[in-house]
Amino acid sequence: MNTNNLNDIYLLGLDFGTLSVRAAIVRASDGEVLGDAVSEYETPIMDRVFTAGDGRELPPDFALQVPGDYLASLKEVVPAAIAASGVDPKAIRAVGLDGTSSTVILTDAAGKPMCEYPEFANEPQAYLKLWKHHGAQSQVERIIALAQQRGEEWLPRYGGTLSSEMLLPKSLEVLENAPQLYHATAEIVDLVDWMTWRLTGVCAYAAGDSGYKRMYQDGTYPSRDFLEALHPDFGGVFDDKMSHPIVPLGHKVGGVSEEWAQLFGVDAGIVVAAGNIDAHVHAASVDAVRPGQLTGILGTSSCWILPSAEFHEVPGCFGVVDGGVVEGSWGYESGQSAVGDIFAWFVNTCVPPEYHEQARQRGISVHALLAEKAAAQDIGEHGLVALDWWNGNRSILVDANLSGLIIGQTLTTTPEDQYRALMESTAFGARIIIDNYEAHGVPVDEIRVAGGLLKNRFLMQMYADVTRRPLRCATIEQAGAHGSAIFAAVAAGIHPDVPTACQVMARVTEESYVPREDASKRYDELFTHYRHLYHLFGRADQTMHELKKIRARVREARQGDTN
């Protein structure tokens, strides 16, 4: 391939995250990012108070957003990225995008969000349900129980269980809590499909997202009679509200509409690729699309993506889809529901003022200060083990009702002790996922990492030591948008397929974090105790579940008294 002919061709990559959207202008010939920009959504996540509506206190485990904020940020971020790049917008030939998966939007037939109708403005169920909205836990438990009872063949594709984050339980949650809204809704769409719909006027579903989050396997959805057994009015949820074509990854959905072309300054009709799951496009950005290459996207949460040449049933994985990462291989997904969020929670709520002052005086973040103090310790010196379940467990237990734990604390325990134990818990959680893959015949040979946490060198070396695998890091800060641009290049025919495009456009460090045998042995000892607590509280002991029930009961009673 003569890449010189591609030096003047550019792609627009968009990455819709939990709090903001990132845009990158990427050169087709070598993957260089010429400019990028970030735009934060205007309305904070509604997880306690329904700020966009009537201000009521929300039930536990809700996480809602205003869908219109995504469009407003899109209008802002693309012109800013183009300006930063210095690229003629007419040289941009395709658009690729990704977003947080299992982020669900209810719309009318034209794509207008239902929360924008006056009659549903004060209905929480009408708003965008973020991936970490776990309000559908009771619904998913019923779905799992019925699927197990009936021996549904699709259930093993999701590790023998399901998450409350998926589209089906969230849709059933709407029907059972807001039936008028459910019946008025024309379309139930994932964020990535809604965004390509907005940009092109074509409503279609990305194959990867459909397989992992919409339960589309081997060309079909769960059957109507299964759905009706859940609720008599639920049988038509796929036929009536999710019935559009499936588009393979790296293929075209449509062309950019005149309206968006004018806003961006690009030519109308340029290719818009099928939307992708935010974590999955990172695998392309770091050229980890071959079997055995595990990609970790480490941010507020973590997602682990693994291509495999063969299909094996892996209990507790979040999903496996043929062509789910790249065509020609099986794509496995697992994850941890909170990683960076745990560290942020600890800094915001548990660190004494003198640490904040010390960090301020040195001109560093509290996170950097704690990591520095933690790195000065010997492995095991703190005497602690933590479970990384501050937002439940995604893999391998798939249980949103689990909660965090730190064991071994004394009156001499320090913040850096606790912080290091929390960091270790996330590495141990990753090792549980890796060990589970290998125990079921899916090999993991190396790790490549993207996301905000890769800047923490101490944490990256810890992950290499704990997992006993070499670890390489992305060199692109906006790896999600960069990966989406790679898929856009394939959809536009600029590169013939994703692996070829990755060889040309991917960016990853040459050097690796190499596991150190002495450190790995000492982490093994702590991991033994982590694994014991993991199975004790995750499978045998119901204390965490019971505490959540008590909390929910008390909050409901208090809300009833207030009303």
Side-chain angles (χ1 to χ4, degrees), residues 15-22 38-41 65 70 73:
D15 174 32
F16 291 89
T18 302
L19 301 175
S20 61
V21 57
R22 281 81 70 175
V38 178
S39 176
E40 293 187 358
Y41 311 132
Q65 289 182 311
Y70 283 69
S73 288

Side-chain angles (χ1 to χ4, degrees), residues 3-50:
T3 57
N4 291 330
N5 295 335
L6 306 180
N7 284 333
D8 296 324
I9 297 178
Y10 302 91
L11 297 313
L12 168 61
L14 298 168
D15 174 32
F16 291 89
T18 302
L19 301 175
S20 61
V21 57
R22 281 81 70 175
I25 308 301
V26 181
R27 189 162 55 211
S29 61
D30 59 2
E32 180 72 16
V33 175
L34 280 301
D36 59 68
V38 178
S39 176
E40 293 187 358
Y41 311 132
E42 181 178 356
T43 311
I45 295 172
M46 295 176 285
D47 53 6
R48 292 179 180 272
V49 179
F50 187 29

Side-chain angles (χ1 to χ4, degrees), residues 118-129:
E119 60 267 37
F120 299 121
N122 287 320
E123 173 51 68
Q125 294 288 339
Y127 285 75
L128 179 150
K129 293 182 178 179

Side-chain angles (χ1 to χ4, degrees), residues 12-16 21-24 74 77-78 95-99 195 199 264 276 281 480-482 484-485:
L12 168 61
L14 298 168
D15 174 32
F16 291 89
V21 57
R22 281 81 70 175
L74 177 61
V77 76
V78 172
V95 181
L97 64 88
D98 66 84
M195 294 309 308
L199 287 171
F264 297 161
N276 214 321
V281 292
H482 177 248
S484 287

Side-chain angles (χ1 to χ4, degrees), residues 57-361:
E57 183 177 355
L58 291 169
D61 302 317
F62 268 49
L64 308 176
Q65 289 182 311
V66 177
D69 289 351
Y70 283 69
L71 298 180
S73 288
L74 177 61
K75 293 175 182 178
E76 177 181 281
V77 76
V78 172
I82 293 174
S85 72
V87 167
D88 179 356
K90 299 296 184 180
I92 297 172
R93 303 314 309 154
V95 181
L97 64 88
D98 66 84
T100 58
S101 65
S102 297
T103 293
V104 182
I105 303 171
L106 309 180
T107 78
D108 64 10
K112 177 181 176 179
M114 298 303 291
C115 62
E116 295 180 6
Y117 283 90
E119 60 267 37
F120 299 121
N122 287 320
E123 173 51 68
Q125 294 288 339
Y127 285 75
L128 179 150
K129 293 182 178 179
L130 196 58
W131 62 271
K132 61 181 179 179
H133 172 92
H134 291 151
Q137 186 62 31
S138 65
Q139 283 79 16
V140 79
E141 289 170 358
R142 287 166 39 220
I143 293 171
I144 295 167
L146 181 63
Q148 291 172 339
Q149 175 187 332
R150 292 166 53 105
E152 294 289 335
E153 294 182 356
W154 45 261
L155 189 60
R157 295 285 182 90
Y158 301 96
T161 186
L162 298 172
S163 169
S164 61
E165 296 175 7
M166 299 174 74
L167 269 74
L168 196 65
K170 284 177 174 172
S171 301
L172 184 57
E173 179 193 16
V174 177
L175 172 59
E176 296 183 336
N177 290 278
Q180 182 180 359
L181 167 66
Y182 177 84
H183 291 297
T185 296
E187 305 286 347
I188 301 175
V189 291
D190 192 280
L191 169 64
V192 296
D193 299 325
W194 186 63
M195 294 309 308
T196 56
W197 187 9
R198 296 297 82 208
L199 287 171
T200 66
V202 177
C203 186
Y205 307 142
D209 169 76
S210 295
Y212 289 103
K213 312 303 177 182
R214 202 192 312 276
M215 301 167 64
Y216 183 79
Q217 294 283 358
D218 300 327
T220 62
Y221 294 107
S223 66
R224 176 178 283 269
D225 64 311
F226 173 83
L227 300 168
E228 289 178 345
L230 290 168
H231 190 291
D233 293 341
F234 203 51
V237 64
F238 289 115
D239 293 338
D240 301 336
K241 303 179 189 297
M242 290 187 269
S243 62
H244 294 278
I246 307 294
V247 179
L249 299 180
H251 289 245
K252 176 182 176 180
V253 169
V256 172
S257 70
E258 289 282 355
E259 175 190 359
W260 287 100
Q262 290 182 14
L263 285 168
F264 297 161
V266 302
D267 286 337
I270 64 170
V271 168
V272 176
N276 214 321
I277 297 173
D278 57 346
H280 295 204
V281 292
H282 286 73
S285 181
V286 297
D287 191 20
V289 296
R290 286 166 290 279
Q293 294 180 307
L294 179 68
T295 301
I297 302 85
L298 308 185
T300 56
S301 61
S302 285
C303 197
W304 297 94
I305 306 301
L306 179 63
S308 174
E310 299 177 345
F311 169 73
H312 295 275
E313 291 185 7
V314 180
C317 79
F318 204 64
V320 54
V321 175
D322 188 6
V325 176
V326 61
E327 288 189 271
S329 65
W330 292 88
Y332 288 81
E333 177 186 335
S334 295
Q336 295 164 269
S337 296
V339 178
D341 272 351
I342 301 176
F343 309 151
W345 165 83
F346 183 76
V347 166
N348 292 336
T349 64
C350 301
V351 178
E354 55 265 30
Y355 281 68
H356 289 269
E357 179 60 23
Q358 185 178 349
R360 188 191 64 79
Q361 290 181 359

